[in-house]
Amino acid sequence: MVTGVAGEHMAAPVPNPQFVLRGARSAVHALHFCHGAQGHPLLLSGSLRGLVHVWSLQTRRPLAALDGHGGQCVTWLHTLPQGPQLLSQGRDLQLCVWDLAEGRNAVVDAVHLESVGFCRASVLAEGPQRWMLAVPGRGSDEAESSPRPLLLAGYEDGSLALWDVSARKVCSRVACHSEPVMALALDPRRARGVSGSAEKVLAVWSLEGQQALQVRGTHELINPGIADLKIRPDSKILATAGWDHRVRVFQWRTMKPLAVLAFHSATVHCVAFNTTGLLAAGSGDQRISVWSLYPPT
């Protein structure tokens, strides 16, 4: 069982961001780390005004601004495992596929979405040139898939459901929150995950035998409202984006609070980690803060 309250007083002083990216010109709602040509590290950001900015982490300046969502908020970004292709989801009910090869920035395909809610898409890589895309919708359309891919989904009633995509049925459902689920993350190494909602509680849950969800405990926060959360790729650190303008950092295994990053002056809408341990946070104050905390060993 995991229980506790995330206090605001940490043992060590919190450092300043390693650097801050300015120039999004509107609230930042989505972030994604990736690599560009010659392996150069990039950070992608999606804005309230519908632009996707491509930032160089070397020069700390924007390389390009992609405009494909008609001025509507960009809520999710993801790069495909093979090839320089980008997926962007917007509140214009479009999920765009971008070709970024050799300096291009063109939309080459798009998927029309049925729902304009807060639900973000998700991608499962099934092979070098094959991947599955889950998008929010009202119905239960069929999905062509390989044997037993599983999908976790959070709902407005505060529950989580584990779907067997091939059979198009729910394997397990569990009540985690009293408010709509706003974000969730799964640690496949430990078959354990965490979710946040409009309330001031994080729920920690496990995936038993790849088919049954079970709540393991809750962690109470000081203020309500989690917009996003991410587990670092090495499964050691958890970061949450708060409506109270703060990023909270936890030791993932124990849920011990490590830091409260009080840099931003508006809601923090999104967080993202890269494989080297950098943490990025995007806010309604139009800034992106980039932090180097507890580097991987």
Side-chain angles (χ1 to χ4, degrees), residues 177-183 196-201 223-227 243:
H177 301 277
S178 61
E179 297 285 345
V181 177
M182 303 298 293
S197 73
E199 61 188 348
K200 57 179 181 178
V201 170
N223 299 312
I226 295 295
W243 295 358

Side-chain angles (χ1 to χ4, degrees), residues 157-171:
D157 64 0
S159 68
L160 288 180
L162 179 69
W163 285 83
D164 183 325
V165 177
S166 298
R168 301 192 299 279
K169 69 177 183 179
V170 173
C171 303

Side-chain angles (χ1 to χ4, degrees), residues 125-205:
E126 297 188 301
Q129 299 295 332
R130 181 178 173 84
W131 42 272
M132 183 185 300
L133 175 67
V135 297
R138 297 188 180 95
S140 55
D141 295 339
E142 295 186 8
E144 180 185 352
S145 61
S146 61
R148 284 194 61 76
L150 301 175
L151 175 69
L152 278 167
Y155 291 88
E156 289 189 4
D157 64 0
S159 68
L160 288 180
L162 179 69
W163 285 83
D164 183 325
V165 177
S166 298
R168 301 192 299 279
K169 69 177 183 179
V170 173
C171 303
S172 178
R173 185 184 288 267
V174 65
C176 291
H177 301 277
S178 61
E179 297 285 345
V181 177
M182 303 298 293
L184 62 88
L186 174 69
D187 176 3
R189 297 183 185 185
R190 296 187 171 95
R192 179 170 172 260
V194 60
S195 53
S197 73
E199 61 188 348
K200 57 179 181 178
V201 170
L202 296 174
V204 179
W205 34 269

Side-chain angles (χ1 to χ4, degrees), residues 119-289:
C119 185
R120 302 177 181 98
S122 183
V123 170
L124 172 66
E126 297 188 301
Q129 299 295 332
R130 181 178 173 84
W131 42 272
M132 183 185 300
L133 175 67
V135 297
R138 297 188 180 95
S140 55
D141 295 339
E142 295 186 8
E144 180 185 352
S145 61
S146 61
R148 284 194 61 76
L150 301 175
L151 175 69
L152 278 167
Y155 291 88
E156 289 189 4
D157 64 0
S159 68
L160 288 180
L162 179 69
W163 285 83
D164 183 325
V165 177
S166 298
R168 301 192 299 279
K169 69 177 183 179
V170 173
C171 303
S172 178
R173 185 184 288 267
V174 65
C176 291
H177 301 277
S178 61
E179 297 285 345
V181 177
M182 303 298 293
L184 62 88
L186 174 69
D187 176 3
R189 297 183 185 185
R190 296 187 171 95
R192 179 170 172 260
V194 60
S195 53
S197 73
E199 61 188 348
K200 57 179 181 178
V201 170
L202 296 174
V204 179
W205 34 269
S206 62
L207 186 56
E208 301 294 329
Q210 296 294 309
Q211 60 184 2
L213 289 168
Q214 184 172 346
V215 177
R216 291 298 182 183
T218 58
H219 195 94
E220 187 174 351
L221 303 170
I222 298 298
N223 299 312
I226 295 295
D228 192 18
L229 50 80
K230 293 291 191 308
I231 300 169
R232 203 167 70 180
D234 64 0
S235 300
K236 292 186 177 180
I237 301 293
L238 166 71
T240 65
W243 295 358
D244 63 355
H245 312 173
R246 287 163 171 74
V247 176
R248 288 178 169 79
V249 181
F250 301 85
Q251 185 184 64
W252 167 227
R253 183 176 62 84
T254 64
M255 290 300 293
K256 175 186 176 182
L258 298 176
V260 177
L261 311 180
F263 172 78
H264 290 283
S265 58
T267 294
V268 181
H269 293 291
C270 50
V271 287
F273 283 109
N274 74 355
T275 54
T276 67
L278 282 182
L279 167 64
S283 171
D285 64 12
Q286 306 183 20
R287 297 180 294 175
I288 302 168
S289 58

